[in-house]
C-alpha cells in the first residue's frame, strides 16, 4: 500500500510540474503523447502482449544531436526509420519533433515520459505490458528517467512493465544484463568484438540476413525475430535473425550477412 501511495504522489508531483512549466522552445511543438500503442506498427502488432513504443528520429537526423551514437554506416544506410508508416512525411515530422523535444528540453521530456509510464502502470497494473523505449533510437532512457524524476522503473513494484530493446552500446547492454530490462545486442559490420563479448556472457545478438534465415550461425541457434518484435521471452544465447528489408537488401557493407 505504501508503495502504491508513493507512486500516486509521484504522479501528482509530475502533473504539477507539467502544469507550471513555462512554454517550451519554439523549435518544436508540445507533444501530446510520447508513447504509441504497438498495434500501430506492423511488427509490434504481432506481439502477444499489449505493447507501447517510443519513436524518435534516429541517428543525427535532427542535426544537433545523435540519438544512435554507436550506429555504423551500414546501420544508418539500412535503417528502417522510413519503413512502414515511417515513410509518410507526417510520421517523420512527428518523430523529428519528439527528438527535438528530447534534445532541447531533456528534463521535461523525461517528466512526461515517466508520467505516461506511471499512467500505463496504474491503469493496467494487473496485466503484463511490454515497453520498448527505443523504437528508432539507442538511448539509455531508463537511466535518464531515474536521473530527472527519481523513479526507478526497474523496481519490483513496476514488474508488470516488461522493458525490452535492441542496442549497439555494449556498456548499456552489460549495465542491464540479467535485469528486468531485456536488451538484444545488434550486430553491425564494425562491432564483431562486442558481439563475441555478448556471446561470452550468454546474451543474444540480433543479425540481419540477406535471404532465408539459417538454422544456426556462428555456432549459435537462430530464431526468427520477424515473427514477433517482443524479445523479452527469447531463450538465452541465440541469434535473433531478421530478414533484410527495404534499403538493407542492397547492403554491401557487411551490416547484412550475405554469406552463410
Amino acid at each position: 500500500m505504501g508503495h502504491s501511495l508513493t507512486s500516486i504522489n509521484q504522479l501528482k508531483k509530475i502533473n504539477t510540474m507539467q502544469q507550471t512549466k513555462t512554454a517550451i522552445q519554439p523549435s518544436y511543438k508540445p507533444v501530446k503523447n510520447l508513447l504509441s500503442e504497438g498495434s500501430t506498427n506492423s511488427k509490434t502488432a504481432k506481439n502477444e502482449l499489449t505493447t507501447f513504443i517510443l519513436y524518435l528520429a534516429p541517428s543525427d537526423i535532427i542535426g544537433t544531436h545523435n540519438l544512435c551514437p554507436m550506429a555504423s554506416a551500414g546501420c544508418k544506410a539500412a535503417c528502417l526509420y522510413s519503413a512502414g508508416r515511417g515513410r509518410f512525411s507526417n510520421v517523420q515530422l512527428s518523430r523529428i519533433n519528439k527528438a527535438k523535444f528530447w534534445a532541447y528540453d531533456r528534463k521535461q521530456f523525461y517528466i512526461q515520459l515517466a508520467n505516461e509510464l506511471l499512467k500505463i502502470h496504474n491503469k493496467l497494473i494487473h496485466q503484463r505490458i511490454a515497453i520498448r523505449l527505443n523504437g528508432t533510437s539507442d538511448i539509455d532512457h531508463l537511466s535518464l528517467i531515474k536521473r530527472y524524476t527519481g523513479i526507478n522503473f526497474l523496481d519490483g513494484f513496476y514488474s508488470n512493465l516488461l522493458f525490452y530493446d535492441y542496442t549497439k552500446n555494449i556498456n548499456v547492454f552489460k549495465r542491464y544484463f540479467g535485469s528486468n530490462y531485456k536488451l538484444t545486442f545488434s550486430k553491425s559490420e564494425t562491432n564483431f568484438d562486442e558481439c563475441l563479448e555478448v556471446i561470452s556472457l550468454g546474451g543474444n545478438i540480433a543479425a540481419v540476413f540477406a535471404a532465408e534465415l539459417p538454422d544456426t550461425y556462428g555456432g549459435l541457434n537462430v530464431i526468427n525475430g520477424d515473427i514477433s518484435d517482443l524479445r523479452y521471452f527469447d531463450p538465452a544465447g541465440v541469434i535473433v535473425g531478421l530478414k533484410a528489408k527495404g534499403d538493407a537488401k542492397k547492403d554491401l557493407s557487411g551490416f547484412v550477412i550475405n554469406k552463410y
Side-chain angles (χ1 to χ4, degrees):
M1 179 65 72
H3 229 141
S4 180
L5 182 59
T6 299
S7 296
I8 293 172
N9 288 337
Q10 287 172 333
L11 185 58
K12 289 180 178 178
K13 182 179 179 181
I14 288 171
N15 279 326
T16 300
M17 294 178 72
Q18 287 182 315
Q19 292 168 2
T20 58
K21 183 78 172 67
T22 56
I24 60 175
Q25 299 188 31
S27 56
Y28 62 93
K29 298 177 181 178
V31 177
K32 183 178 180 180
N33 293 300
L34 288 169
L35 294 167
S36 304
E37 283 203 48
S39 58
T40 62
N41 178 279
S42 60
K43 193 172 183 183
T44 51
K46 302 174 185 177
N47 290 357
E48 55 266 35
L49 296 181
T50 299
T51 303
F52 290 87
I53 188 166
L54 173 62
Y55 284 114
L56 305 174
S59 190
D60 53 1
I61 283 179
I62 64 172
T64 56
H65 295 71
N66 190 343
L67 283 73
C68 303
M70 302 300 175
S72 64
C75 177
K76 292 179 183 179
C79 184
L80 294 177
Y81 168 62
S82 58
R85 293 180 68 251
R87 69 184 183 275
F88 299 115
S89 60
N90 64 317
V91 175
Q92 292 186 22
L93 289 173
S94 173
R95 294 176 183 181
I96 289 171
N97 188 60
K98 289 179 181 179
K100 288 183 176 181
F101 183 15
W102 175 85
Y104 304 139
D105 200 352
R106 192 73 53 85
K107 183 174 183 178
Q108 184 62 19
F109 179 95
Y110 285 111
I111 287 172
Q112 179 167 336
L113 182 56
N115 198 352
E116 292 183 27
L117 289 170
L118 284 172
K119 287 180 179 178
I120 292 169
H121 169 263
N122 291 343
K123 182 178 180 180
L124 304 172
I125 194 167
H126 299 299
Q127 298 180 38
R128 292 192 300 180
I129 307 298
I131 307 289
R132 184 176 172 190
L133 297 179
N134 283 303
T136 41
S137 56
D138 194 357
I139 300 165
D140 186 357
H141 289 296
L142 288 181
S143 176
L144 291 168
I145 288 174
K146 187 175 179 180
R147 178 192 302 180
Y148 287 107
T149 72
I151 301 172
N152 177 16
F153 279 104
L154 296 185
D155 184 282
F157 181 68
Y158 305 104
S159 60
N160 68 312
L161 302 182
L162 308 183
F163 293 93
Y164 77 99
D165 268 315
Y166 298 87
T167 186
K168 284 187 174 66
N169 190 323
I170 187 66
N171 293 322
V172 172
F173 176 86
K174 290 191 290 187
R175 181 178 303 150
Y176 293 105
F177 186 67
S179 75
N180 191 39
Y181 187 17
K182 306 300 183 182
L183 290 172
T184 301
F185 191 76
S186 294
K187 176 197 169 296
S188 75
E189 75 278 16
T190 62
N191 63 5
F192 181 74
D193 289 342
E194 287 87 352
C195 287
L196 291 180
E197 186 172 1
V198 170
I199 291 171
S200 71
L201 292 170
N204 293 346
I205 294 172
V208 182
F209 292 86
E212 295 302 317
L213 302 180
D215 292 329
T216 62
Y217 181 78
L220 298 176
N221 289 332
V222 176
I223 65 172
N224 191 337
D226 288 322
I227 293 176
S228 169
D229 184 65
L230 186 55
R231 303 271 64 86
Y232 198 88
F233 302 110
D234 288 343
V238 299
I239 301 289
V240 178
L242 303 167
K243 197 171 178 180
K245 306 170 188 67
D247 290 339
K249 294 179 180 179
K250 308 170 187 176
D251 177 79
L252 296 175
S253 71
F255 175 78
V256 175
I257 301 172
N258 292 287
K259 297 179 180 180
Y260 52 96

